[in-house]
Structure formats: C-alpha cells, structure tokens
Amino acid sequence: MSVLVLHRNPFAAFPYRRWLDGDTPGLDRRTPYSGSLVVLAARDKIELAGEEIPGPADHDFTHLELFDTLDDEAVPARALALAEEHRITHVIAHHEADVALAARLRERLGLDGAWSADIAPFRDKALMKRLARQADVEVAPYTVPGTARQARDFTGRHGFPVVLKNRAGYNSIGLSVIADRDELEARLARAYRDGPREDLLIEAYVPGRMCHVDGLVVDGRTVAAWPSQYQYDLASFGADPGPRVDLTLDMDDPLTPRLLALVERTLAALRPEGSRLRTHAFHAEVFHTPDDRLVLCEIAGRSGGAKIREVFETLFGIQLAVQVTRAEAGLALPVIEGATDDGAPLRPRCMSGQVLTMKRPGLVRSLPAAPDEEWVRGFWLFAEEGQVIAPAAGSADFLTAAVGSAPTRAECERRLRDLGARIVAGTEIVALPGDAARTRPGRDAEPAEAS
C-alpha cells in the first residue's frame, strides 16, 4: 500500500504518519505503516501558518514536494506523475479545493475511493441544488448565468438582494451579496469582461440565521451528526471587528431534529445507490428563515473548517480528520465509543461552540493571553506581537480561535461571549498608512472551507 496526500494546510494539525500508524485513541494496537507516504503540499499555507518549510530531515514522509500554491496549473500533472512513480494505491485530500483532483486521480488510476461522479454533487453547487430540490429539500431560486444579460434577467424576476458566487467556491471567497442595480452592473462588468462563462451561480437572497450540520458517515450510515448556528454573517469577514460566535443547538431545540432530517434527505439525494463515497465527513449549511422554513444553502462532503473538527470532538470524542485519513487510506477506523448496531446516531456528551476573531490590517501591538478555564477546550493565535498582517482574505482568515463547552447552549453562549470580549479587549492592532499592512503575511488559520 502507498498513499499520496494533497495537502493544502499547515502541517502541525495533520500528523499523517502517526495517524496511519494507528497511534490514535480508539484503535486496539499500533500497527506501523510500512508503505510509501508521498505528500504534495502548498508552500503558501505552511508559511502563512508561521511554520518553517520542512527540510529533508524535518519530516517523516517518503517524498515531500512543495508548490508555491496547489492552485498551480502544473499540480495535476505532477500529482499523476508522483502517483505513477510511487505506485500509489490511495489518495487523501482534506481541503475542499483538492477533493476533485483526488477523485480524478483515483479514477484515472482505478483506485478505491470516491471518483469524479461521486464528488460532483458536493462540489458543483448547481448540480447540488438540482438534486436536493428533486428530493423535496428547499433551495433558493438560482440559475447559472452564462452572460451578464442572463444574470440581469434573473434579478429582474427575483429582485434584490441576490447572491453571486462561484459554482465550486469555498470560504466565501468571491461571494457577493448584491443589494441594488448599480452594484450588480459593477460586479457583472468585472465578471464577464472576458465574455460568457459557466462557472458562476446566482441565487435569490434567503433571509434568516444560518445553521450548519456537521457529521461523520461510515460505510454509508451517519454515525454522528449535530447542528450548530452561526451567530454572525459568514460573508462579513472583511468588516467584522468583534467576536464571531458559533454554537451547537440543544438536544430539545425544535430545530435540531428538523435539521438532522433535512441533511439525511440531502445526503441520500447526493449520494445515490452505487456511490463510491462511503465513509466521509460532511458540513451542511442551512438557512432558518423568519417564517420558520429550512432552506439548504450548500453541503460539502468533507469536514467543516475553522475549529469545527475540535467542536465535533468535544461533542462526540470523534476526531474527524483521523477517521477520514484512515478511511481514504483503506485502513481500519478508530472505534467510535457508544456506537450501536441499531443505526441510531450518537448523541452529544455536552454542548460546545467556538469564538473567532478575524484578521484586520496593521501592526499587531498586543494579543490576548491563553485562557485557563477548564471549559476552554482549545485556544489558537494566528499572528505574533510585532507582526504586520494583511486583512482577512476569506471567512477562514482568523486572528484568534477558541473552542468551549458547557452543559447547555445558553451557558456555552455566555461563556464564549465573555471570552470573546476578553479576546477583543486584549488585542491591539495599529493601522498603517497605505498598503504597508499588505507587505508581510500573517499566520493563516486552517481553512474554514465554508461551502
């Protein structure tokens, strides 16, 4: 067995060799992994995380190759060449931007795991919405505007605001909430300056609070899933100076069973009989409207970013990245404590949530100290004092992140909002004139990969 990893993250949180060795809770014994471990990684993500670029003696991979960014057009051909050279039998990819390439490689080489057709419903937002709607899951009215005129026609039918996004986008990068005709014309002029295109989607704006459901599917069955609710607007990452709180829903919240049921219908629609996508994490985003409707925004066939994986581990004791890594490598999965054979998903052990602050441009004068309360399950800083940082480039570009727990959602919210206020009070960033703040990168959080 040999594994190729497409890695678009910092390395610290992804000890692939240890996970493949089975050095993780829930496995009966450690079985050292003896196959090749080939990693094709993104230099920009490593450097933005403040990590040193690993030299030959600094990693335990069979082969490590770096590109400045995995968006480089040469990456697919090089990944195929590495796969053939090292006789790769399994391909692993955790980032939303890489799952389609991983699927193409598996298909080209005839390997186990998800192929392109299995991934497409989770990556192509137009296909996703069509399949969901056929399963009686409500989605916003939408179209794929090949031309600016088609986008204008859609807005004429549905009014403002509208949302324009990339069909395969993530992290809210390039997403525009367009409020009026003038803003629409300016956006269309940029979008279609080179002529017709088929990679954009325009949809009617859905009012309400955004919820998300995160879970783990093992061999086609959801073994654990739970809903949360963003207490902020994802698209406001560039203008939000305060703490952004995200909270799980209580077990007796009326929304909880409705959200879980909606996501199960959606998964069934996007992963039909015969799908090779059998064991995977998922991250679904759903609007809860003022008139009490649930409207699917998007769903991804991988784990959520930010610190959603850490929140999930707090809820269930399940490390999603470990499960997915070993599943994609064709290895036995860690035992899921409390799982039964009757098909019933696990129930959470407590409530949890996260509080985030976004980067903003300037000189970092001071950062908050790490909190020491027992209920704080993790705290992360993505900049250093004395560093000049750029503004947030997407909804995943955090300055700080913390995960907490509590017996109830209300108590969890109280704790996280108090912690968020302390984090803001302990942070000082001094604005610099002109574009000086853009000259040196700050640390980059693990991508939130909001669909």
Side-chain angles (χ1 to χ4, degrees), residues 181-409:
R181 181 69 58 183
D182 290 343
E183 189 177 349
L184 175 68
E185 290 303 321
R187 183 69 179 85
L188 294 181
R190 296 194 301 272
Y192 293 94
R193 62 190 171 195
D194 295 326
R197 55 194 294 184
E198 297 296 328
D199 62 334
L200 295 179
L201 183 143
I202 191 168
E203 63 186 11
Y205 181 82
V206 179
R209 183 63 59 80
M210 177 78 83
C211 302
H212 60 97
V213 181
D214 299 276
L216 175 66
V217 173
V218 175
D219 196 23
R221 178 173 72 88
T222 301
V223 297
W226 205 254
S228 300
Q229 192 177 66
Y230 298 117
Q231 307 299 300
Y232 58 89
D233 178 8
L234 279 172
S236 69
F237 62 85
D240 191 348
R244 293 156 71 89
V245 174
D246 177 26
L247 296 161
T248 54
L249 298 185
D250 280 317
M251 283 184 256
D252 60 357
D253 190 309
L255 277 182
T256 294
R258 293 173 59 193
L259 286 164
L260 293 173
L262 179 142
V263 168
E264 280 299 300
R265 292 204 311 277
T266 304
L267 288 171
L270 272 58
R271 202 187 59 236
E273 188 73 26
S275 173
R276 292 171 173 265
L277 188 62
R278 299 294 298 165
T279 297
H280 63 95
F282 64 83
H283 173 71
E285 294 177 344
V286 183
F287 297 106
H288 180 220
T289 68
D291 59 352
D292 198 32
R293 292 178 297 121
L294 294 180
V295 180
L296 177 71
C297 177
E298 298 165 7
I299 184 170
R302 44 80 188 158
S303 62
K307 293 303 172 184
I308 285 174
R309 287 187 289 264
E310 287 76 9
V311 169
F312 197 84
E313 185 175 1
T314 300
L315 293 177
F316 297 109
I318 297 172
Q319 297 173 316
L320 286 174
V322 176
Q323 297 279 344
V324 172
T325 295
R326 290 186 60 86
E328 292 190 347
L331 298 172
L333 302 188
V335 173
I336 296 174
E337 186 178 348
T340 62
D341 295 329
D342 63 3
L346 297 176
R347 294 172 70 82
R349 304 180 295 191
C350 62
M351 292 293 99
S352 185
Q354 56 184 330
V355 57
L356 312 164
T357 61
M358 306 305 299
K359 288 178 182 171
R360 59 185 190 272
L363 172 65
V364 180
R365 283 272 181 82
S366 64
L367 290 168
D372 57 6
E373 292 93 335
E374 181 188 4
W375 58 266
V376 178
R377 300 301 181 95
F379 180 73
W380 298 264
L381 294 173
F382 301 106
E384 296 176 350
E385 293 179 356
Q387 188 175 21
V388 175
I389 60 174
S395 61
D397 209 354
F398 309 118
L399 179 66
T400 69
V403 170
S405 65
T408 65
R409 170 188 166 134

Side-chain angles (χ1 to χ4, degrees), residues 89-105:
T89 58
H90 296 82
V91 182
I92 295 171
H94 284 284
H95 196 284
E96 183 78 347
D98 301 319
V99 294
L101 174 56
R104 292 199 304 273
L105 290 170

